[in-house]
Structure formats: structure tokens, C-alpha cells
Amino acid sequence: MEQLIEQLKVILGTNFGLYLKSHNYHWNIEGKDFPQYHSFLDGFYNDVWNQSDDIAEHIRQLNAYAPGSFSRFIELSAVEEATTVPDANTMFITLKADNDKYIMQLRAGIVLAEQAGEPAVSNFLQDLLGAHQKKAWMLRSIVK
Ligand SMILES: [Fe+2]
């Protein structure tokens, strides 16, 4: 159970890292396809943001406290923060790699939830996995 709780914290930190980077890119992206990119990123960061509360509340359901500070999220996140403004294609390549990192953490969480006998947590993470596999297809199609 402890491993599952720790993994959910990593998933929450990674979620927040992916959220902040995609919102940052939404603000700063440039190029001739700006309207489509800006709109796609709007949907992306909102989807990711809307997952964070449920992830944190699953940690609470397992009787642990949810992390909620920038310093802790930086420690936990598998996604590095964005401190520069790259060109649009580099933004999407970066987001594709970061989305893949989130997928890896979700997969690890599903395995641990199954091992811990927590099917509801596994089911929740499977839904997130499916949503982000769809995003992986979209990001792959943008950068091709
Ligand atoms: Fe906006």
C-alpha cells in the first residue's frame, strides 16, 4: 500500500508539472498555426488540470496526505519545468515526451494498485491512461 501511495504522489506531481508546462505553452506559443495550437493547448491543460483534484483525493482515500507545494511537486514530478520559450514544434515534441512520461507513471500506478488489491484506484488510473494515450496520438500527429 505504501508503494501505491508514493506512486500516486509521483502521479500528482507529474500531473502538475504537465499541467503547468502545457498552460505555459498555451500562453507563449507562436507561429502561423497559432489559433489551432493555442486552442489545442487550452483543451490539453484543462484536461490535465481537471485530473489533479481526483488524484489528490484518491491519496486521501488511502489515508495519506496529498502533497501540494511547488517544492514538493518539483521533487515528485517526472516532468521537468519549462524555463525557456522554444519554437512551436519543439514545444510539441517536449509535450509528447512529457505525456509519455506521465503514461509510464500511470502504468506503474496501475500495476501497484492491482498488487495492493485496490481495483477502484486501478480503474481510475486506467481511465487517465486511456485519455493520455489518445493525447499521445494527437501530439505524435502534430509533430510528424
Ligand atoms: Fe487562455
Side-chain angles (χ1 to χ4, degrees):
M1 187 61 73
E2 283 308 308
Q3 274 186 303
L4 173 59
I5 291 167
E6 286 310 305
Q7 185 60 25
L8 285 171
K9 291 178 182 179
V10 168
I11 289 169
L12 182 60
T14 304
N15 168 280
F16 200 85
L18 192 60
Y19 155 71
L20 187 58
K21 186 178 282 181
S22 55
H23 206 153
N24 176 333
Y25 286 176
H26 167 79
W27 293 326
N28 291 310
I29 198 162
E30 295 173 315
K32 64 180 172 57
D33 295 319
F34 173 82
Q36 293 94 318
Y37 289 162
H38 188 64
S39 174
F40 175 84
L41 290 166
D42 184 281
F44 192 99
Y45 83 71
N46 272 296
D47 287 350
V48 176
W49 170 255
N50 286 329
Q51 297 165 5
S52 61
D53 192 58
D54 278 339
I55 298 167
E57 290 184 2
H58 274 83
I59 294 169
R60 296 295 295 129
Q61 285 171 38
L62 297 176
N63 203 25
Y65 291 115
S69 66
F70 288 131
S71 56
R72 189 74 180 108
F73 281 158
I74 285 173
E75 285 175 358
L76 288 165
S77 178
V79 169
E80 283 181 28
E81 62 177 344
T83 54
T84 60
V85 180
D87 62 67
N89 201 49
T90 304
M91 282 185 180
F92 284 111
I93 289 169
T94 304
L95 218 49
K96 167 75 172 66
D98 290 345
N99 188 68
D100 287 345
K101 289 175 188 168
Y102 190 44
I103 284 173
M104 282 176 55
Q105 298 303 333
L106 292 169
R107 286 184 179 279
I110 291 164
V111 171
L112 290 169
E114 298 287 343
Q115 287 173 356
E118 290 289 346
V121 178
S122 176
N123 188 50
F124 167 65
L125 295 175
Q126 286 176 43
D127 286 346
L128 298 188
L129 176 64
H132 281 269
Q133 285 179 323
K134 185 171 182 179
K135 292 187 190 312
W137 155 54
M138 292 180 177
L139 290 165
R140 200 167 57 238
S141 300
I142 291 171
V143 300
K144 191 166 183 178

